Amino acid sequence: MNRWTSKKSFWPLVGALGCLFVLAVAAPGSWHRYRSVPPAGPDESEATVAAPSFEDSLPAQQEFDLDVLLRMRDTLLTIVDRLPLPEQTPEAITVRRSVMVTSEKDRLAMLDVRQRSHRRSPSRQRPSRDLPPRSVPEPAIERLTPAQAVQPLIRHHPGVLFKQLKALVHVPLASDWSKQVVERLRRLTVETPTQENPVQQTEAIALLQELRVLAEAGNDRALQVSSPATQQDWLQAAEALQRRLGIWEAMLGEGPQQIVVTDLPTSPASLMPILGEVATLLATESNGIAWRKYLLLDSLVDASSEGAGIDSKTHSKRQSQLAHQVLSRMADPRLTKVQAEFLTTSSLRGLRRQLQPWAAQAVDLDRLLALVERYEEGRELRYAEAIAHMQQQLQWSSNPRWQTLAEHLKQHYRGSNMRIAFSDELLNRMILQPKATVTPVRERIAGAKVQGKARTTTSLQVRLLPDPSRWRFRLEAFGKVFSSTQSDTWPARVRNTAKMQYEVKKEIVIDQEGLTALPAKSSAKGRHELVGVDSQLDSVPLFGSLLREIARNKNQKSRPAAMSQVKAKVARQARRRMDKEADLKLSNLEQKFRDSVLAPIGQLALIADPLAIYTTPERAVMQLRLANDGQLGAHTPRPLAPSDSVASLQMHETVLNNALAGLDLDGRRMKLPELFQFFSEKFGGAAEIPEDLPTRTVLEFAARDAILVNCGRDHFSLTLNIRELAHGRDKIRNFRVHARFRPVLDGLAVKLVREGSLQFSSRRLKTGPRIVLHSVLGKLLPKDQEISLIAAKLQDDPRFAGLMITQLVIDDGWIGLALGPAHTERNAWRTQAPESFPMSFVR
């Protein structure tokens, strides 16, 4: 039975809700103004509300919070959506609800489109409230989800990429390519799509395919450009596009709001049996205790035990972290071949499979893309850590699609952040050639006692042996031995001279397992000459000549055996000398490398992972990633070194930032002298504390990103994030210190010199505190402070004669240095490369 009800208009209610909405936004300021009203006079009524006294707590200073505003907006929209429209048929209600958004993200995107539509058409008329009668056919509605119909694929605007592309529009060689990329990107970003012209999924797939072709073409065409600056800018834009394509393609298949849902974690009941098998296997191994500690087996047993609170959120997080630690250790590239093969046994493979669901967690692709864009813009460590954490969660997923995305992130955001290359010419310059030596000869050769002296000259050289996965050197020694000897064979004395040539070769291999020196191999050749024969019976006319002739014949017969013995002896002595001296020097070199390089890296909690080691006939190249599992590597293209360089180094800023993160300065509080001592202990130097440095000033770093380094635009920037500086009665909180360094060349010496005055950034920093900061921190970072990259003493080293710094680039996060042949028309600056000196580059 239909019951009559009065239909009331809902617009007054909407208006009231809107007023409440405005009041809620302006509430904090309104309350503050109300409390500033003078107290009521004695003649006013008692009903007047009294002002708060000085003893009352002041209201908290509230800042504008966009999240609160959005939540209130969503609440109001939800209430409005639930209100029935007057005189609305059920069919009409169905049509209206078919285009109604159902999630927070859809609602945000719809609001953005509505706001843009209002801005573009401010004078458009309000649509009529009256719906068409039933007899009029309803308009066709395209069956698309709201996200596909309104929202673009790329919700987070790639601002940095657009800046790089727009900079190339004015470059003649790259202008057409840049315009083509921008045109396609605008179809996928928030700039172009509207309700009337949305990008459908099929069109988006085609656009991404075209962008991938353009990205590859941009890389190839950039390498053909002769201008170093244009080439690097083009490479940066092309690779920036490639970095994002993998994420965009993953989002296309699942939608921009899709969350990757991994498999359910392994239950303790299924993990305990495999842990028992692993424990049994390790019990039979001689180093089973070490493996048990390495694989954290006892911790896994504790985490898998019954009654451990598996369903709790905290325990689940602990299980995920523990599983990731174990899986990372099982995949550690520093494991030897024997250790890696041991981990392929059936029980350990089963453990790996059981732990992967624990390590894999849900990943929001939309949040991943947002983090990537923020990291691309500011390169802050907090975003880097979040991206690295998501990459680790994706790589342990059982879904091949997310494994592909994890590999893409690893390739483009955890790439090598240091490259070292040197040629055989530099190695041969560094070798000290041995001096000629004269040694006595006292040997028994072919049954005869031989005495005399020998003069030996040796020349050394290093040859590079091509190898795709290792550094392979061959140390070669070429020597000559000139000997003058005599042998007593009664009653005659034979005088001989010999000219011997020997060759010794010793291979040295450097790979991920360390340095290996193979035994030397040698060979010798030469000739022997009879100088003369003396006899004690030379005064006797007949017997003297007879004895000399007998001695000559005997020497002639024994010469082959004697020469064979001499050659073997010379080769053996050369081989032993090479092994003895080379092994000793290589051992000392390896120990210095461990003490000076690996030990500081270990103290900074970094892992030196060689991603590529190879040798060509011209140079030896090593690409490293200095980072732990929770850090990123390089994500931008490194500057290419000149092809004629004898040595080159490219280092990304992530090397320094990862190292600074390992100092564990976040949240630390210390006095300035303690800070000096801290850095001295970490880096193995002896830093003298300046006399004018305030000894009682206390510095407290922020909880995150305490020290940050940025390299770009030919400058090196250092940022200190300070939570509080206490200097006497002054306490200055929440500010950042910015110091800029510029590169300076002085012959072969390269240094960074601080430029300009210190800059301070903060929300509220007045003139007085700024003066204090300049006074205190100006002594911590004094003006004209220098950081040496290449020592000036190389200028006086004769081994570096005829060489110069041929490249010095600080751009896009990289510091690039190269050493090559000197030329009067050549300089190291990329932006000032003379056209009269053509250059080629090597990857």
Side-chain angles (χ1 to χ4, degrees), residues 192-240:
T192 298
T194 62
Q195 291 178 334
E196 294 79 14
N197 187 25
V199 176
Q200 308 303 328
Q201 187 173 17
T202 55
E203 182 184 357
I205 294 175
L207 289 173
L208 290 181
Q209 291 175 349
E210 294 174 5
L211 286 173
R212 184 164 291 280
V213 173
L214 286 171
E216 295 175 356
N219 266 312
D220 296 337
R221 293 174 60 184
L223 295 176
Q224 301 174 4
V225 177
S226 59
S227 171
T230 302
Q231 182 187 77
Q232 189 67 13
D233 293 342
W234 200 344
L235 286 174
Q236 289 173 1
E239 295 199 14

Side-chain angles (χ1 to χ4, degrees), residues 52-78:
S53 65
F54 289 102
E55 296 179 357
D56 296 335
S57 59
L58 295 175
Q61 298 294 327
Q62 300 186 17
E63 299 180 357
F64 179 75
D65 194 338
L66 180 60
D67 294 334
V68 175
L69 179 61
L70 293 177
R71 286 196 297 269
M72 296 178 64
R73 190 278 318 274
D74 292 340
T75 303
L76 293 175
L77 290 178
T78 303

Side-chain angles (χ1 to χ4, degrees), residues 87-357:
E87 299 179 0
Q88 199 170 28
T89 63
E91 292 81 0
I93 296 176
T94 304
V95 173
R96 179 178 179 271
R97 290 181 178 176
S98 64
V99 295
M100 186 174 63
V101 294
T102 57
S103 67
E104 180 181 357
K105 294 181 179 179
D106 291 342
R107 200 179 299 281
L108 288 174
M110 183 71 76
L111 179 63
D112 294 339
V113 174
R114 289 174 180 171
Q115 291 174 348
R116 288 195 299 273
S117 301
H118 281 293
R119 288 196 297 267
R120 287 194 294 267
S121 304
S123 60
R124 67 179 185 177
Q125 297 180 356
R126 178 179 298 178
S128 176
R129 292 174 50 193
D130 298 331
L131 293 175
R134 290 190 179 184
S135 58
V136 179
E138 299 177 2
I141 299 177
E142 195 170 7
R143 295 185 177 275
L144 293 175
T145 63
Q148 292 173 328
V150 178
Q151 296 179 356
L153 170 67
I154 307 173
R155 295 187 57 194
H156 300 280
H157 185 69
V160 177
L161 177 58
F162 270 103
K163 290 180 182 179
Q164 294 172 333
L165 292 171
K166 291 178 181 179
L168 291 175
V169 171
H170 306 289
V171 179
L173 294 176
S175 178
D176 293 341
W177 178 88
S178 176
K179 291 178 181 178
Q180 293 180 30
V181 175
V182 170
E183 179 183 357
R184 286 157 177 81
L185 281 180
R186 284 177 175 172
R187 289 290 298 156
L188 297 171
T189 58
V190 78
E191 295 184 0
T192 298
T194 62
Q195 291 178 334
E196 294 79 14
N197 187 25
V199 176
Q200 308 303 328
Q201 187 173 17
T202 55
E203 182 184 357
I205 294 175
L207 289 173
L208 290 181
Q209 291 175 349
E210 294 174 5
L211 286 173
R212 184 164 291 280
V213 173
L214 286 171
E216 295 175 356
N219 266 312
D220 296 337
R221 293 174 60 184
L223 295 176
Q224 301 174 4
V225 177
S226 59
S227 171
T230 302
Q231 182 187 77
Q232 189 67 13
D233 293 342
W234 200 344
L235 286 174
Q236 289 173 1
E239 295 199 14
L241 178 59
Q242 283 185 333
R243 290 196 299 271
R244 293 167 171 86
L245 280 174
I247 306 176
W248 294 343
E249 290 169 348
M251 295 183 65
L252 179 61
E254 300 296 330
Q257 301 179 40
Q258 176 66 24
I259 296 179
V260 179
V261 180
T262 59
D263 298 334
L264 293 176
T266 303
S267 63
S270 59
L271 185 60
M272 289 300 291
I274 195 65
L275 291 176
E277 294 180 9
V278 174
T280 303
L281 173 65
L282 298 181
T284 60
E285 296 291 329
S286 58
N287 56 350
I289 298 178
W291 273 110
R292 190 180 184 95
K293 293 180 180 179
Y294 182 78
L295 296 175
L296 304 176
L297 202 61
D298 295 334
S299 299
L300 288 174
V301 172
D302 294 339
S304 305
S305 60
E306 296 293 342
I310 298 174
D311 295 333
S312 65
K313 185 176 180 180
T314 303
H315 192 70
S316 178
K317 183 178 180 180
R318 168 59 182 160
Q319 286 179 333
S320 176
Q321 295 175 350
L322 182 60
H324 178 263
Q325 288 179 346
V326 177
L327 291 173
S328 299
R329 293 187 177 194
M330 297 178 75
D332 197 319
R334 295 171 296 178
L335 293 171
T336 63
K337 294 181 179 180
V338 177
Q339 293 169 343
E341 291 177 358
F342 176 71
L343 290 173
T344 60
T345 56
S346 60
S347 57
L348 291 173
R349 287 201 312 268
L351 178 62
R352 188 195 304 269
R353 287 193 301 268
Q354 295 290 337
L355 291 180
Q356 285 182 0

